[in-house]
Amino acid sequence: MKKTFFVSLILFVSLLLVSCGVANKTIIRYQKMEEGVSSPTTVEELKDAIKKYQERVADIQLAQSQIGIWYKMLGTRYIDQKMYGEALKCFQEALKYYPDNQNLYYYVGVCAGYMSHSAMDFGASGSSEVRYNYLRLAEDAYLRAISIEDRYVRALYGLGVLYVFELDEPEKALPYLEKAVSIETRNIDALFVLARAYYSSYEFEKSAATYDKIIATTKSAETKATAEENKKTVLDALYSK
């Protein structure tokens, strides 16, 4: 009974800590009720109160860290179900507990990118502001992930895809994709996007060379055929200059 009450109280106090507008007096009242500490005056009472409250802080921190983990887990489950809006909310909450976690920023980027595809102008105002805002959120999230871990290939790749296919800024994609393939030299997906970025930036020779690397690396006949076809398009553009 006591253990069950203790766990319930920890979760309740944790929720109080993260809820808006909850007075500190409420938290203190529950702490006093649990610990049996009211108004210590003597040296021994004060020492005992300090010890008890230090333990309580540790308990609350542990509960809060677990809540952050659960938000992340729930977010990834929503991604599995392609419920990107709900996933985005979960990762936003998880970042309150883990603001320096590069994986959370990466997931925010992924979700924001998908949400941009479903953003519609329901007011028929002729504005694409909602879609654009999601894309810029994705950009910011990927950049933050990279600022925490500069060799984070998934975020480097995600940013490259965003610049090449969504924001039509292929030149911006180049340094991130080049770094990604320097870290994972056999990353076929990143090589394809890099080749496209070179092509869209009118760097045809580099684009053709990147397709050559794909052809030499892949074991898939289908992938090789796609790379050869894309290379032909690049060479046609190069020789027609």
Side-chain angles (χ1 to χ4, degrees):
M1 287 282 295
K2 186 176 180 180
K3 183 177 181 182
T4 301
F5 176 76
F6 172 77
V7 173
S8 299
L9 184 62
I10 288 295
L11 292 176
F12 178 72
V13 172
S14 298
L15 290 173
L16 288 176
L17 287 173
V18 298
S19 298
C20 296
V22 176
N24 289 335
K25 290 181 180 179
T26 303
I27 298 171
I28 293 171
R29 184 169 67 252
Y30 277 95
Q31 287 175 329
K32 288 179 179 178
M33 181 180 68
E34 172 65 14
E35 298 294 353
V37 175
S38 181
S39 299
T41 56
T42 69
V43 171
E44 291 304 318
E45 287 175 343
L46 288 166
K47 286 182 177 180
D48 184 56
I50 290 171
K51 182 177 183 297
K52 287 180 177 179
Y53 272 86
Q54 284 176 332
E55 292 173 352
R56 174 62 62 222
V57 168
D59 291 335
I60 291 172
Q61 288 174 333
L62 178 62
Q64 287 182 317
S65 67
Q66 189 60 57
I67 291 171
I69 292 170
W70 285 336
Y71 268 122
K72 178 183 176 182
M73 292 174 62
L74 181 59
T76 57
R77 297 295 184 275
Y78 277 133
I79 286 180
D80 291 341
Q81 298 175 30
K82 303 185 186 305
M83 298 174 65
Y84 300 109
E86 293 302 315
L88 187 57
K89 295 175 186 176
C90 289
F91 295 128
Q92 182 179 1
E93 290 298 320
L95 280 168
K96 294 177 182 178
Y97 300 93
Y98 297 103
D100 295 320
N101 186 297
Q102 67 270 26
N103 295 312
L104 292 175
Y105 287 111
Y106 167 75
Y107 284 126
V108 168
V110 170
C111 292
Y114 277 109
M115 289 302 294
S116 73
H117 297 162
S118 62
M120 299 182 68
D121 179 21
F122 288 104
S125 64
S127 172
S128 58
E129 182 179 1
V130 175
R131 178 178 182 275
Y132 180 80
N133 287 343
Y134 274 123
L135 292 176
R136 289 306 178 189
L137 173 60
E139 178 188 27
D140 185 38
Y142 288 136
L143 287 171
R144 291 197 186 201
I146 294 166
S147 72
I148 297 169
E149 173 51 67
D150 64 350
R151 292 174 61 85
Y152 191 5
V153 172
R154 289 197 297 175
L156 292 166
Y157 172 75
L159 195 56
V161 171
L162 185 71
Y163 283 138
V164 173
F165 297 106
E166 302 292 349
L167 293 172
D168 193 24
E169 298 174 314
E171 295 86 356
K172 284 188 176 182
L174 292 175
Y176 300 105
L177 292 168
E178 288 170 346
K179 185 166 188 175
V181 299
S182 73
I183 297 168
E184 295 184 4
T185 58
R186 300 175 66 86
N187 189 323
I188 300 298
D189 290 336
L191 286 168
F192 264 111
V193 180
L194 176 59
R196 174 63 178 269
Y198 281 136
Y199 175 77
S200 299
S201 301
Y202 302 100
E203 297 190 39
F204 300 129
E205 293 180 356
K206 288 185 177 181
S207 180
T210 304
Y211 283 123
D212 280 336
K213 187 171 184 179
I214 295 171
I215 293 166
T217 300
T218 185
K219 295 181 179 179
S220 166
E222 182 179 355
T223 300
K224 184 176 291 188
T226 299
E228 289 173 342
E229 183 178 349
N230 289 353
K231 180 186 174 183
K232 183 178 181 302
T233 300
V234 171
L235 293 177
D236 289 343
L238 175 62
Y239 296 140
S240 66
K241 287 174 58 178

